[in-house]
Amino acid sequence: MNESKRFRGVLLWAAALRVVLGIAAIPLAPFLYKRHFLVLVLLRPTKEVLLAAAFLARRDRVNLAAAVIAALPLMILGVWLFFYLGKGFSSDTLSKHRIGSWVLPLDKIRKLRTVLEKKGMKVVFIGRLAAFPSTLVAAAAGSSDMPSRRFLPADGLGAVLGVAEVVVAGYILGETYDSSKPWITALGVAGLVALAVLVGRYLRRQ
């Protein structure tokens, strides 16, 4: 039996926990921002949170290395969890679980499978650099029987470059802010967000 299918119940609950932690971090963000920023990174290691971490690191308010290390468990392993979850479930078995359709929305998974079929591995890699749902891409890749030896390196490399992208950008933006040029910082953040959104739209286009 496929190992992903054997442990799919455990994988599903672990994926649900990952989603819950990310949602819980949103209302807690204002309280964690000032004194427990690393906890915020650990719970919700998104691009915008890492961008803020690099910005604060430039101003000596956060240890950047610690922030990156805190982000890695959910940013990489958390996404790979969804890949193996996709391998372990079919649409009929997933519907039997109460939380299954919430953790893996089947309509979105089907659409992303179509995108993967047309765009190939670049969706996995470039998607990590854009505003793109990495967990759902991973689940779609797993359910489409994409081999682990292809998915894991492409996603891992994309994740590392994605972290480098926002860390460098955040550090530079922090430097411009400290140089009494906050308007440049605002424009830089807006430009980075716009670029990520545009790349995400390109990848979604069929």
Side-chain angles (χ1 to χ4, degrees):
M1 179 185 291
N2 184 298
E3 290 298 316
S4 297
K5 291 184 178 179
R6 180 182 301 176
F7 297 107
R8 59 191 176 191
V10 175
L11 292 172
L12 183 59
W13 282 104
L17 178 61
R18 185 204 188 284
V19 173
V20 169
L21 289 176
I23 295 173
I26 297 175
L28 292 174
F31 306 99
L32 297 175
Y33 178 81
K34 291 185 177 181
R35 297 191 179 185
H36 303 286
F37 195 85
L38 290 182
V39 176
L40 178 60
V41 174
L42 184 65
L43 294 176
R44 193 175 176 84
T46 58
K47 288 182 174 65
E48 59 270 21
V49 174
L50 281 176
L51 183 68
F55 178 85
L56 294 174
R58 177 61 184 81
R59 310 182 74 195
D60 297 322
R61 291 180 55 187
V62 170
N63 184 307
L64 186 55
V68 171
I69 292 172
L72 292 180
L74 288 186
M75 176 167 273
I76 296 182
L77 299 181
V79 171
W80 292 358
L81 165 66
F82 277 77
F83 174 74
Y84 287 105
L85 187 62
K87 277 189 172 297
F89 278 97
S90 60
S91 58
D92 57 333
T93 55
L94 186 65
S95 63
K96 295 177 182 178
H97 288 260
R98 288 177 296 176
I99 63 170
S101 58
W102 172 66
V103 175
L104 291 180
L106 295 178
D107 56 335
K108 293 183 179 179
I109 297 298
R110 293 190 187 100
K111 289 178 181 178
L112 287 171
R113 283 183 63 171
T114 301
V115 175
L116 280 169
E117 290 170 2
K118 293 187 175 183
K119 303 290 185 180
M121 290 300 296
K122 67 180 180 182
V123 174
V124 176
F125 176 72
I126 302 177
R128 280 289 201 166
L129 307 177
F132 212 64
S134 297
T135 54
L136 297 186
V137 170
S143 66
S144 64
D145 294 326
M146 181 180 291
S148 302
R149 65 180 180 273
R150 294 186 62 206
F151 174 82
L152 298 182
D155 183 78
L157 180 59
V160 170
L161 292 179
V163 170
E165 172 193 30
V166 293
V167 164
V168 171
Y171 202 81
I172 292 174
L173 293 173
E175 188 170 355
T176 60
Y177 189 91
D178 286 341
S179 300
S180 300
K181 296 177 181 177
W183 62 274
I184 296 180
T185 302
L187 287 176
V189 171
L192 187 65
V193 171
L195 179 62
V197 171
L198 287 174
V199 175
R201 288 184 177 179
Y202 162 75
L203 291 174
R204 286 188 176 90
R205 195 179 304 154
Q206 299 183 20

